[in-house]
Amino acid sequence: MTVQNDCMIDPKLRVLQLVAQHGTVTAAAAASHYTPSAVSYQLRQLAEELGVPLIEARGRGIQLTTAARTVLRHVDVLSAQAERAHAELAALAGEPSGPFTVCGFSTAATHLLPPVAAALRDRHPHVRMRVIEAEPGRCFDLLLAGDVDLALVINTAHTPPTGDDRFHQQPLLDDPLDLVVPTDHPFTARRRVTLADAADQEWIVGRPGTAYHDLVRTACSAAGFSPNIAHYADEWDTGAALVAQRFGVILVPRLARLHDDRPVARVPLSGDPAPARRVIAATRSGHAGHPLVTEALDEINEVAAQLLPTEAPQPR
């Protein structure tokens, strides 16, 4: 197996990883910024170098051979070791330089990543910071393709399990979920409200397949009910506008900010545990020890501490 370029790992092995991740050459090409023909060519080259077939036809699609899956087990180990080597070399280099890219879902990309990226940029003028907003599943694609160094994600049905050997995932913070209701809703006068108390409400959620949709369905399921979905809205402010017109209620993470000019109230939820979404920091396996990754995580924790005070906000 060739070891080359600044990633230390033959890029054809990365392509094989992406094909395994997405299941088709076309999807792997979209994730890796190649054309489908280029992906197919690299797979043929790799198969010739290794002397084993890597893919075979299955109906109208393809499937990986046993040899390909054997190679992938070793690629995961090699990739993690290469990332550790890069991290150690970066620690020896002194002042960091070059590109450093972070990505995250919408709330993280709005409230956490910009101040963190600005702090790193100002502290390290030779580092070229880049921020990408992306759904959690796409964040993992960017990590695997080598386009991103650090991602802030939440677990969804479309993200790899926390035990996936290709990634290092660590819990970063719990973002409490608040119920948003009209200002004169009976919940605003109660000292304690649980999510289960809202089981008979009409709900406004994100479209099926979005992280927001999964978040609400998972939280409600944990509270013992399935939400009566009346409307779909992917943006917090769109949902709040519908709440203001009494079309239903929404769940909003505390990190998310709403415009203050609407007649709605955020009601902190009680429970054991109180509903929250867990924000996870994800990197490629072996990359967590990189000095800039460590520094970025420290900055994220500081920003989060300012945005998420210990005491829950009072209904307004």
Side-chain angles (χ1 to χ4, degrees):
M1 297 183 183
T2 307
V3 176
Q4 63 185 50
N5 79 11
D6 62 346
C7 295
M8 295 188 184
I9 297 294
D10 186 336
K12 294 190 289 295
L13 296 173
R14 296 285 194 197
V15 168
L16 180 61
Q17 282 184 310
L18 288 168
V19 171
Q21 168 85 358
H22 294 281
T24 69
V25 167
T26 301
S32 60
H33 314 300
Y34 289 121
T35 63
S37 59
V39 169
S40 296
Y41 176 72
Q42 292 194 61
L43 289 176
R44 288 196 302 271
Q45 275 194 318
L46 183 60
E48 290 175 3
E49 292 172 9
L50 297 175
V52 293
L54 298 175
I55 59 174
E56 57 190 14
R58 183 178 184 181
R60 295 184 178 180
I62 61 169
Q63 67 178 9
L64 297 180
T65 64
T66 301
R69 299 195 180 280
T70 299
V71 171
L72 284 168
R73 289 199 302 271
H74 292 282
V75 172
D76 292 343
V77 175
L78 288 170
S79 297
Q81 191 59 45
E83 293 290 353
R84 281 189 283 271
H86 273 301
E88 291 182 21
L89 291 172
L92 293 173
E95 178 60 28
S97 61
F100 187 76
T101 304
V102 294
C103 72
F105 59 95
S106 60
T107 308
T110 300
H111 300 292
L112 293 176
L113 294 182
V116 169
L120 294 181
R121 175 200 61 196
D122 296 343
R123 194 176 303 141
H124 305 295
H126 299 296
V127 172
R128 300 190 303 278
M129 291 297 308
R130 185 170 65 150
V131 177
I132 299 174
E133 178 184 346
E135 285 280 301
R138 178 59 178 160
C139 287
F140 282 100
D141 290 344
L142 293 170
L143 282 171
L144 195 60
D147 294 333
V148 161
D149 296 284
L150 174 66
L152 298 188
V153 300
I154 55 175
N155 283 330
T156 73
H158 308 288
T159 58
T162 54
D164 192 315
D165 290 339
R166 297 170 300 172
F167 305 103
H168 175 85
Q169 302 182 57
Q170 64 183 74
L172 191 62
L173 59 95
D174 285 335
D175 186 8
L177 300 178
D178 296 328
L179 188 69
V180 178
V181 300
T183 50
D184 59 353
H185 194 284
F187 285 168
T188 62
R190 293 171 54 171
R191 293 180 59 86
R192 185 177 186 274
V193 177
T194 68
L195 184 54
D197 292 333
D200 61 349
Q201 302 289 307
E202 291 192 327
W203 282 82
I204 303 157
V205 304
R207 289 170 299 150
T210 63
Y212 180 31
H213 182 91
D214 292 345
L215 172 71
V216 175
R217 294 301 296 260
T218 300
C220 292
S221 177
F225 71 95
S226 179
N228 175 22
I229 299 174
H231 305 279
Y232 292 101
D234 292 339
E235 301 295 331
W236 312 124
D237 283 327
T238 305
L242 289 169
V243 172
Q245 297 299 324
R246 304 178 184 279
F247 282 109
V249 300
I250 61 173
L251 273 184
V252 174
R254 199 160 297 162
L255 277 175
R257 297 298 185 259
L258 300 176
H259 292 143
D260 294 330
D261 57 349
R262 294 192 179 97
V264 300
R266 297 179 76 130
V267 178
L269 293 171
S270 302
D272 188 20
R277 65 175 179 180
R278 175 153 292 182
V279 179
I280 295 169
T283 63
R284 289 177 297 281
S285 184
H287 196 55
H290 192 287
L292 282 177
V293 171
T294 301
E295 191 172 343
L297 290 176
D298 289 341
E299 288 288 341
I300 290 169
N301 280 318
E302 289 187 15
V303 172
Q306 297 172 9
L307 295 175
L308 295 174
T310 303
E311 294 185 0
Q314 296 301 309
R316 63 169 178 80

